Amino acid sequence: MIEHRQRTPSLARRLLTWYALAVVVGVLALGVVLNRVLEDRLLDDLTDSLESQALLLRSTLGDDALPGNAVLGWANRENLRVTVVAGDGTVLADSSRDVAGMENHAGRPEIAAALSGTMGVASRVSTSVGVEYRYVAVPPAEGGWVVRVAEPVNSIAERLERLRIAIGLAGLGAALVGVFAVWLIARRIVRPIREVTDSAVRVARGEHTAEIVGASTVELQQMADAVYEMAGELRQQAQQSDDERLLRDQILDALDEGVILIGPDDSIAYANTWARTVLGERESLAGLPGPLQELAARARTASE
């Protein structure tokens, strides 16, 4: 029984364990959802920002002059990659490469969308510079060119990483506060249970007058009442047993003959006054006279 109790975890430990598991699962699930939501949100914000930049740049480019110098100046100021494409897909200017070595861009999905009259958006690794970009291309103005603005996607990853760290620290702090709160609650729950349990253990050990503590909840009060009732019944049984033992002793002591009760281990469990007077105080069968030992042996053998 003792070994079983030692192996069984306490209620407080169970509460903390289950809460910790729930927190871990909840934080992981929330982290996955938040990571996806934040990633999509940051990507949308980047797209909106690039669209605004592209529209602003398109409005500043002249229709008659080549856009090379304006593109380079804009790209340097805004730290963006800027590409200007003619209506047939020919690259007129690019802030990252010499246009002489660049292929026709009419097949690029964002350029094709812009040439068709809608805003084009795409994400891919640039074949020109080998970096993953978010591309936004706006349709040309009347008689103008397609303006495409791009920014490396790793800028989103950096911001997302900072947000992940902030969310992780906040989640860890909330989890620690929650664990501490659950620990306090578990103590408040377990303390009265332990007190009622200790009272029950004392009653089970024979302390029939052990005080039964009160309880702070209906369930614990019911448990305390049950223990109190059990203790009362045990007290009554103990008193009844004492009364019966006293009555037995009085009856046997009134006899003018000896009565001896020998236990299975040959110990003298009881001897009335006459037997103690005649034979003296004896603790075992071996201390009795030989005839009595022989008589006891025959009685055991014959079972009578």
Side-chain angles (χ1 to χ4, degrees), residues 2-300:
I2 294 178
E3 293 180 356
H4 176 71
R5 286 201 298 267
Q6 289 176 346
R7 290 195 301 267
T8 303
S10 65
L11 177 60
R13 181 179 298 179
R14 283 182 178 273
L15 288 175
L16 289 175
T17 300
W18 283 110
Y19 177 78
L21 289 175
V23 166
V24 170
V25 173
V27 169
L28 289 177
L30 182 61
V32 171
V33 173
L34 282 179
N35 182 73
R36 185 62 182 174
V37 170
L38 289 173
E39 187 175 3
D40 292 343
R41 182 61 182 173
L42 289 174
L43 197 57
D44 290 342
D45 290 344
L46 178 61
T47 301
D48 294 340
S49 175
L50 293 176
E51 180 186 7
S52 299
Q53 294 283 353
L55 291 173
L56 185 59
L57 177 58
R58 186 187 68 180
S59 66
T60 63
L61 292 177
D63 296 337
D64 299 328
L66 291 177
N69 293 332
V71 165
L72 287 175
W74 187 280
N76 291 333
R77 286 194 308 270
E78 303 298 333
N79 196 26
L80 300 172
R81 182 184 178 187
V82 179
T83 307
V84 177
V85 181
D88 60 354
T90 303
V91 178
L92 301 177
D94 188 90
S95 60
S96 299
R97 286 191 59 189
D98 184 0
V99 297
M102 298 181 67
E103 66 277 10
N104 189 285
H105 275 37
R108 298 289 196 276
E110 70 280 3
I111 300 296
L115 290 174
S116 67
T118 61
M119 183 184 71
V121 180
S123 294
R124 65 176 180 277
V125 177
S126 171
T127 58
S128 303
V129 297
V131 177
E132 184 177 3
Y133 278 94
R134 181 68 165 180
Y135 296 98
V136 175
V138 294
E142 186 66 27
W145 307 300
V146 171
V147 176
R148 185 184 71 179
V149 179
E151 185 173 348
V153 176
N154 58 11
S155 62
I156 294 179
E158 293 173 357
R159 280 180 282 177
L160 189 60
E161 185 64 25
R162 290 194 295 268
L163 288 174
R164 286 171 181 164
I165 294 174
I167 294 173
L169 292 176
L172 179 61
L176 291 177
V177 172
V179 168
F180 181 70
V182 170
W183 178 73
L184 291 179
I185 294 172
R187 287 190 62 187
R188 290 179 60 87
I189 294 175
V190 170
R191 185 186 298 113
I193 294 177
R194 183 178 293 115
E195 292 174 350
V196 174
T197 302
D198 290 342
S199 299
V201 170
R202 290 196 299 272
V203 170
R205 290 175 177 173
E207 300 178 24
H208 302 152
T209 59
E211 180 183 359
I212 309 299
V213 298
S216 57
T217 64
V218 174
E219 293 79 8
L220 290 177
Q221 188 60 56
Q222 291 175 346
M223 182 186 300
D225 293 342
V227 173
Y228 184 80
E229 183 177 353
M230 179 183 66
E233 293 178 355
L234 290 176
R235 282 195 296 268
Q236 292 178 358
Q237 293 176 6
Q239 184 62 47
Q240 182 179 358
S241 177
D242 291 340
D243 293 343
E244 292 175 351
R245 186 183 305 108
L246 179 60
L247 179 61
R248 181 203 65 186
D249 291 346
Q250 290 174 346
I251 294 174
L252 294 179
D253 283 342
L255 297 177
D256 291 333
E257 56 189 13
V259 177
I260 300 174
L261 177 62
I262 302 173
D265 59 350
D266 288 345
S267 62
I268 302 299
Y270 172 79
N272 67 352
T273 302
W274 194 96
R276 292 196 302 273
T277 301
V278 175
L279 301 175
E281 295 291 341
R282 307 289 182 173
E283 296 182 357
S284 65
L285 179 62
L288 295 178
L292 289 181
Q293 295 184 34
E294 182 180 351
L295 181 62
R298 290 206 311 270
R300 283 178 174 169

